[in-house]
Amino acid sequence: MTTKKKKLKTKSGHLSLILFVLPAFIFYLVFLLIPTIGAGVYSFTDWNGLNPTFNFVGFSNYIEAFKDDPAFRHSFWFTLRYTIFIFVIQNVAALLLALLIESRMKSKGFFRTIFFMPNMISLIISSLMFSFIFTNVFPELSKQALFSILDQSWIGDAKVSFYSILIVSLWQGIGYMMVIYMAALQGVPKQLKEASMIDGANVFQRLKHVVIPMIMHAITICSFLTLNGAFKVFDVVYALTQGGPGTSTQVMALNIYEEAFSNNFRFGYANAKAMILFLVVLIITLIQVSILKRKEVEA
């Protein structure tokens, strides 16, 4: 009887777990997995999103994207450049802020709240706010000799607009990564820090040999989130520059959106581009996670 009761409890425990997971799995299946499979199928067609019929065109959409679409190739290189800048600056700045705030015992909560607050604002709203700042506030400030450096066409100049997008993205995203790093830093044993100080390690040596290895799991998470979000960036570019001037700041997601809804409703071709973006993000993410996971094991 005891064995039977244990088996019944185990089965009921498994059933309760399945019931808890089921709603999330249904949402994942309906809104992510099935659309992804559908996009993969439609990427081999000439479907325009409206007609009930379509023709299979094989790999011609993919060939066109790589060979005959300079706008898509430009959007890829622009997205890659944006991702590199965001990945490096956001993670380094967030980690430095976390280290500085963790060293301030009394005002830790205040600074954590201040730096995290921009993350609570929608990126679309942040972009509209900064659009007003770039087009109205900065020109007025630049009239003063002290702020003459602000006399730039922050949205209208292709070279400067890239940095405008970076400023908005970093302002909104650094605080979130900072909180993750702070949570990891709080888990670093004090005994290790004290032992390294007794051994004569300076600040940089403690950071390199004690702190960084102990928070490698947080670095893996933040790197994954940063890379994933940067490659799929859409809202900040759409709200701030709409890919302009011309197509100079057009990212891959915006190029796909315009292909589907602006350029003759080429849904099949747009899905092919979306699958290319999906594969790029998947490959880079797998490489990044595998490399950093190995470092976690070494730590």
Side-chain angles (χ1 to χ4, degrees), residues 179-247:
V179 170
I180 296 175
Y181 283 126
M182 287 184 69
L185 288 170
Q186 290 172 3
V188 178
K190 291 182 179 179
Q191 296 87 340
L192 287 177
K193 294 180 182 178
E194 292 170 356
S196 63
M197 290 174 67
I198 293 169
D199 290 338
N202 59 35
V203 175
F204 297 105
Q205 289 172 331
R206 288 200 302 272
L207 181 64
K208 181 181 178 181
H209 298 290
V210 178
V211 176
I212 297 295
M214 292 299 298
I215 64 167
M216 190 55 69
H217 61 286
I219 294 174
T220 303
I221 294 168
C222 290
S223 298
F224 169 77
L225 292 174
T226 306
L227 282 173
N228 196 39
F231 264 109
K232 297 189 297 183
V233 64
F234 173 83
D235 39 11
V236 61
V237 178
Y238 186 77
L240 198 63
T241 66
Q242 295 185 345
T247 58

Side-chain angles (χ1 to χ4, degrees), residues 5-252:
K5 284 182 179 180
K6 285 182 178 180
K7 286 182 178 180
L8 285 172
K9 283 185 178 180
T10 304
K11 286 182 179 179
S12 63
H14 289 164
L15 182 62
S16 62
L17 287 174
I18 291 169
L19 290 174
F20 273 115
V21 172
L22 190 62
F25 178 74
I26 291 171
F27 273 94
Y28 175 80
L29 184 70
V30 173
F31 293 105
L32 186 64
L33 193 59
I34 293 175
T36 302
I37 296 170
V41 174
Y42 286 124
S43 69
F44 296 101
T45 70
D46 61 356
W47 187 46
N48 64 3
L50 300 173
N51 292 339
T53 59
F54 50 83
N55 300 311
F56 280 92
V57 295
F59 287 94
S60 62
N61 287 332
Y62 292 90
I63 294 169
E64 182 182 349
F66 285 110
K67 287 184 64 179
D68 305 320
D69 195 339
F72 180 67
R73 292 198 299 271
H74 174 269
S75 69
F76 171 78
W77 292 114
F78 182 86
T79 306
L80 184 62
R81 181 187 172 200
Y82 169 85
T83 301
I84 293 169
F85 273 80
I86 285 291
F87 177 76
V88 175
I89 299 173
Q90 187 160 289
N91 280 287
V92 171
L95 180 56
L96 289 176
L97 278 174
L99 289 167
L100 288 171
I101 294 172
E102 274 297 311
S103 64
R104 302 179 66 89
M105 298 304 295
K106 292 184 178 179
S107 52
K108 185 191 300 184
F110 171 76
F111 283 107
R112 182 170 51 199
T113 304
I114 291 297
F115 284 108
F116 184 75
M117 280 180 66
N119 188 258
M120 300 171 67
I121 304 172
S122 165
L123 196 51
I124 291 287
I125 302 300
S126 300
S127 302
L128 294 174
M129 286 167 47
F130 273 92
S131 179
F132 176 81
I133 292 170
F134 291 142
T135 55
N136 294 280
V137 178
F138 279 6
E140 290 298 320
L141 287 175
S142 65
K143 294 176 182 178
Q144 307 294 326
L146 185 62
F147 301 104
S148 58
I149 194 173
L150 298 177
D151 188 16
Q152 305 282 344
S153 181
W154 290 89
I155 297 176
D157 188 335
K159 293 180 181 179
V160 182
S161 55
F162 171 75
Y163 298 103
S164 302
I165 295 168
L166 279 180
I167 289 169
V168 180
S169 300
L170 292 169
W171 180 82
Q172 205 263 354
I174 285 176
Y176 184 72
M177 302 302 165
M178 180 201 70
V179 170
I180 296 175
Y181 283 126
M182 287 184 69
L185 288 170
Q186 290 172 3
V188 178
K190 291 182 179 179
Q191 296 87 340
L192 287 177
K193 294 180 182 178
E194 292 170 356
S196 63
M197 290 174 67
I198 293 169
D199 290 338
N202 59 35
V203 175
F204 297 105
Q205 289 172 331
R206 288 200 302 272
L207 181 64
K208 181 181 178 181
H209 298 290
V210 178
V211 176
I212 297 295
M214 292 299 298
I215 64 167
M216 190 55 69
H217 61 286
I219 294 174
T220 303
I221 294 168
C222 290
S223 298
F224 169 77
L225 292 174
T226 306
L227 282 173
N228 196 39
F231 264 109
K232 297 189 297 183
V233 64
F234 173 83
D235 39 11
V236 61
V237 178
Y238 186 77
L240 198 63
T241 66
Q242 295 185 345
T247 58
S248 59
T249 60
Q250 191 178 73
V251 290
M252 292 178 74

